[in-house]
Amino acid sequence: MNSSAVNLQDITVLYCEDEGDLRNVTGDVIKQFTKEVFLAENGKIGLEIFKEHADEIDLIITDVNMPEMNGLEMAKEIKSINFNIPIIVA
């Protein structure tokens, strides 16, 4: 067994998606497998949540096209705070 394997139940996810139904459904699925999930409707809110909970968030999943601040802009800002945080851009 790989000793560096991560237990999903130990991670906290920030999920950013501007489409409300998709955000809620996907957020509910993520909640089933992880310790906690923060939901954001755009990159600006996602960045604010990250700044407030940077010591808790282990993974970020974000949409690219969102109002206020897109996912790539948000990822760039977050990487300037914590270069090592994994970010999945979809």
Side-chain angles (χ1 to χ4, degrees), residues 54-84:
D55 58 334
E56 301 169 54
I57 296 172
D58 303 297
L59 171 67
I60 298 164
I61 304 170
T62 184
D63 184 16
V64 173
N65 296 316
M66 296 182 289
E68 305 257 350
M69 176 185 280
N70 71 42
L72 297 175
E73 293 167 331
M74 181 192 71
K76 183 179 177 183
E77 292 291 324
I78 288 172
K79 286 291 190 177
S80 74
I81 298 166
N82 179 352
F83 183 76
N84 295 315

Side-chain angles (χ1 to χ4, degrees), residues 15-35:
Y15 177 58
C16 302
E17 168 60 57
D18 60 318
E19 203 283 301
D21 290 339
L22 180 57
R23 182 177 59 249
N24 292 330
V25 168
T26 305
D28 287 344
V29 171
I30 294 170
K31 284 178 192 176
Q32 293 177 24
F33 298 100
T34 62
K35 183 169 119 181

